[in-house]
Each structure stands twice: as structure tokens, then as C-alpha cells.
Amino acid sequence: MAAEWFFKVMGTVFGPISVAELVQQAADGRIAPDTEVRKGDGPWVLASKVAGLFDRAAQSRPTTPNPPSPPMTTDWASVFVPAPRRPSSVPPLGGNFEVIDVAEAEGFRVEVLAYSKLGGSRDPQTASTIYFAEQAGIRLKQVRITLDGGEAIVESGALHFMLGHVQMESKVGGVSGLGKAMMNKFVAKEAAILPRYRGTGQIYLEPSFGHFLIHRLAAEEVVADKGMFYCGQGSLDVGTAMQKNVSSALFGGEGLFQTRIRGTGLCVLESPVPADEVLRIDLKDETLQVDGNFALMRTGRIEFSVEKSTRSLLGTLTSGEGLLQTFRGTGSIWLAPTQEIYQRLQAGGMGSLAAAPRRSNTAT
């Protein structure tokens, strides 16, 4: 059986292994649904996207406890961090919701909850709106953070309630810290001060009909659209990233500054579209050009600029494509291809889809 599968834990790649070994790693709990896996030279995907992997893993688990299987490599124990236990002092809450996304790190667990049904409105008009929203698949969501001696940073004002032994603090860090905080607020649309939560317990953030993406950083930097950061591990540094060239600042649609998230840990980002409608593009010393403003974030050694769709100005004017957001280098870009469709529907209804597509970038 060909050994062509790889998986990644805490930034370290393991493999190649066979399909049978991949199933065994999932059965032993070393591969979780949010673990990134890859077949051959293909793109990295979440293990939950590999058809039948966890069904086969469940079938291969022994009915009686067995000792854990030996590590695949001699350095496995030094890089593998077992999933944190649920704090015994904080019992799990019941509720009319299900977990639709989850990720774990040492002392930190984050979940996206979706409420199954809302039926408490006493106003008929509100009840009607909720009914049709549910028929369209729109669900109320909530982010839950579980700390086991860990630390979290959260967007200011996002706290709904918390329980357990958790302490909150908001540190400015002197004059320089205040200056950095105000820079985040005015140029990156992030909160001036991000509250920090430490201890053991659970933190529930404000319910929302919006969408959330969980992203794991491994000693790297993410540049995201302004205002996307929602919460994350306390090990992360959230700040601003300035565009490196004039074209991207003036014509890129992102402005002069974007949000920068740096370090190692988990973070949750607010997305304009559902997570399953976000497309990840991996570049290997290649170029990606986008006609529109629906690139959400990027990692790696990627240069961002805005360029003409053709070599000549006349060709750009006559092609109908105008200017294109251009990404060059090695790394990953996350796109929301459906974002502009939702925006057009919101602005003009179904009739707007029959009209010619609107261009966000035009040649000048």
C-alpha cells in the first residue's frame, strides 16, 4: 500500500504514511478533525474533509482499552501536545445547539456553536423573519472558549458571559501601548484594547448570525481584512500591517492598513461568508490575480499589489477587467468568491444578478 499521506501537528509535518496508517493515527486520536492532512503533493485540507476517514477510524478502534501505540517518529513526544481535559470545575452546559467547528491547543479550546432552532419570539413579525431565516439555513452562532490554565484575547465588547475561575484584565502598557492600541482602532478597525482572560473556565461570546473561521498559526504571520479578528490565544500578537506599495494602498480596496496577527496559536476570524464557501489557494512561487475585493487573508511570503489586467493601458481599458489584485510568492491566500454575490443581492435583490457584474477596480 503506497505511503503517500502526510499530516501536520503544531507546524511539524509527519509522513509519508499509508492510508491504513492514516486511519490508525485517527483511531488513536493523534489526528483530529481539524488536523491538516495532504495526499502526495496535493493541497493541505482538514482531516474532516477526507471522506470516510473517521468512519473507518471508529471501526478500527478496539472495544477494550489498549496501551497507546508507539510514536511514529522518535521526536513525536516532543512536539505532540495532547488535547486539554475539560476543567472539572466547569460542567458542560446543555442547550439547543451543536458544535460546528472546533480546535484545541494546550490549555485552550475554541468552538463555534450553532443554535438548532429559535422559537422564543412573542412578536409575529420577528417570528416570521426567524422562520424564513432558518429555512434559508441562516443559524444563530456563538463562540465558546474553554480555558484550562490558558489565556485568551477577545475583541472588546464581545463577552456574553463566563463561568469558572477566569479573570479578565485590560492592560494598556503605558504611553507606547496606548499609541499602538489607538493605531489598531483607527487604521485597522480593531478594538483599541483587547481584553485578556486567564484561568480555568468557559467564556461565551456574543451570539451572532455572522460566520466564523478558526485558524491555527504556527510561528507565522497572517494579514487579514480590517476588523476580522474576533478572539484567539493569549500567545498571539494582534496589530496592523501597512501596505508595501502605493498601488495596493490606493487601488486594492483594503486601504493603507490591514490587520496583522502574529505568533503561534489559535484565532477566530469573522468571515463575510460561511466557512465552507471560503477557498484556500496555495502558491509555490506563483501568481494569483483576483478581479474584485474578496481576498480575505494571506500567509507566507506573499507580495500584494494592484496591476493592470493586460500589459498595455489600452488593453486594460478595452478588456473590461480593469485592475486586478495580484498576489506573488509562496504562501496561502483565502478567498470568498461568493461574497460579491451576497453584496449585490443585498443592494439590488434578485434582479441585480441578471445585470452585468459590477467591477470593484477600474483602470484610471
Side-chain angles (χ1 to χ4, degrees):
M1 187 175 296
E4 55 183 353
W5 285 89
F6 300 83
F7 65 98
K8 189 188 301 183
V9 176
M10 301 293 288
T12 300
V13 177
F14 295 89
I17 61 176
S18 66
V19 172
E21 291 173 314
L22 187 75
V23 171
Q24 188 59 50
Q25 293 299 320
D28 293 341
R30 295 193 178 106
I31 294 179
D34 67 321
T35 302
E36 291 186 294
V37 300
R38 184 186 75 194
K39 184 177 181 181
D41 294 328
W44 290 102
V45 299
L46 296 181
S48 59
K49 302 295 185 182
V50 179
L53 173 59
F54 290 98
D55 291 338
R56 293 178 59 183
Q59 294 173 0
S60 65
R61 289 192 185 99
T63 55
T64 56
N66 284 333
S69 56
M72 293 176 54
T73 59
T74 55
D75 63 342
W76 171 265
S78 65
V79 298
F80 176 67
V81 179
R85 58 177 173 83
R86 181 182 296 276
S88 57
S89 61
V90 183
L93 295 183
N96 180 31
F97 54 71
E98 63 175 315
V99 178
I100 60 174
D101 202 0
V102 59
E104 298 181 354
E106 187 174 12
F108 184 93
R109 175 185 176 96
V110 63
E111 300 163 289
V112 179
L113 313 176
Y115 285 79
S116 303
K117 188 176 182 180
L118 299 177
S121 175
R122 294 178 293 179
D123 175 61
Q125 184 174 356
T126 302
S128 176
T129 301
I130 291 175
Y131 171 78
F132 286 109
E134 290 179 347
Q135 296 302 305
I138 301 174
R139 303 172 68 184
L140 185 66
K141 305 179 189 71
Q142 190 168 23
V143 172
R144 175 171 64 187
I145 300 170
T146 301
L147 297 179
D148 188 7
E151 181 182 33
I153 49 177
V154 174
E155 178 73 9
S156 179
L159 175 67
H160 196 209
F161 65 93
M162 60 183 179
L163 66 157
H165 302 285
V166 180
Q167 293 183 336
M168 178 180 66
E169 63 180 23
S170 296
K171 288 186 177 181
V172 176
V175 176
S176 61
L178 180 61
K180 177 181 177 182
M182 298 310 295
M183 175 71 75
N184 283 355
K185 178 177 178 64
F186 290 110
V187 305
K189 294 183 180 179
E190 301 293 352
I193 305 296
L194 295 175
R196 289 182 175 267
Y197 300 80
R198 295 186 178 94
T200 297
Q202 290 183 321
I203 304 164
Y204 284 73
L205 305 186
E206 288 283 353
S208 168
F209 283 102
H211 309 291
F212 300 101
L213 301 174
I214 299 178
H215 183 70
R216 188 186 298 271
L217 288 82
E220 58 183 334
E221 179 178 284
V222 172
V223 178
D225 279 355
K226 290 176 290 203
M228 281 188 66
F229 179 81
Y230 192 58
C231 67
Q233 283 186 262
S235 56
L236 298 177
D237 176 59
V238 182
T240 58
M242 179 182 291
Q243 306 292 6
K244 295 182 179 180
N245 55 70
V246 176
S247 68
S248 58
L250 294 180
F251 307 113
E254 308 295 346
L256 184 59
F257 297 93
Q258 290 182 279
T259 297
R260 173 195 45 78
I261 309 166
R262 180 183 295 162
T264 298
L266 295 168
C267 71
V268 178
L269 304 167
E270 293 186 86
S271 170
V273 302
D276 58 2
E277 294 180 15
V278 175
L279 178 63
R280 172 177 166 174
I281 305 293
D282 295 319
L283 300 182
K284 296 180 180 179
D285 195 21
E286 297 170 296
T287 299
L288 169 69
Q289 291 190 298
V290 177
D291 183 14
N293 186 27
F294 53 89
L296 300 181
M297 64 185 201
R298 61 185 183 272
T299 62
R301 298 186 301 276
I302 300 290
E303 293 293 331
F304 172 52
S305 62
V306 176
E307 300 180 1
K308 299 189 298 291
S309 56
T310 65
R311 293 185 177 181
S312 68
L313 179 59
L314 180 60
T316 298
L317 292 172
T318 57
S319 69
E321 299 303 330
L323 302 177
L324 302 177
Q325 288 191 348
T326 303
F327 304 87
R328 282 194 178 87
T330 298
S332 300
I333 300 100
W334 282 258
L335 303 178
T338 58
Q339 179 182 2
E340 293 186 346
I341 300 298
Y342 294 129
Q343 291 173 341
R344 286 163 56 192
L345 284 171
Q346 185 175 2
M350 290 298 294
S352 63
L353 292 181
R358 296 184 299 174
R359 302 298 184 187
S360 57
N361 295 323
T362 56
T364 57

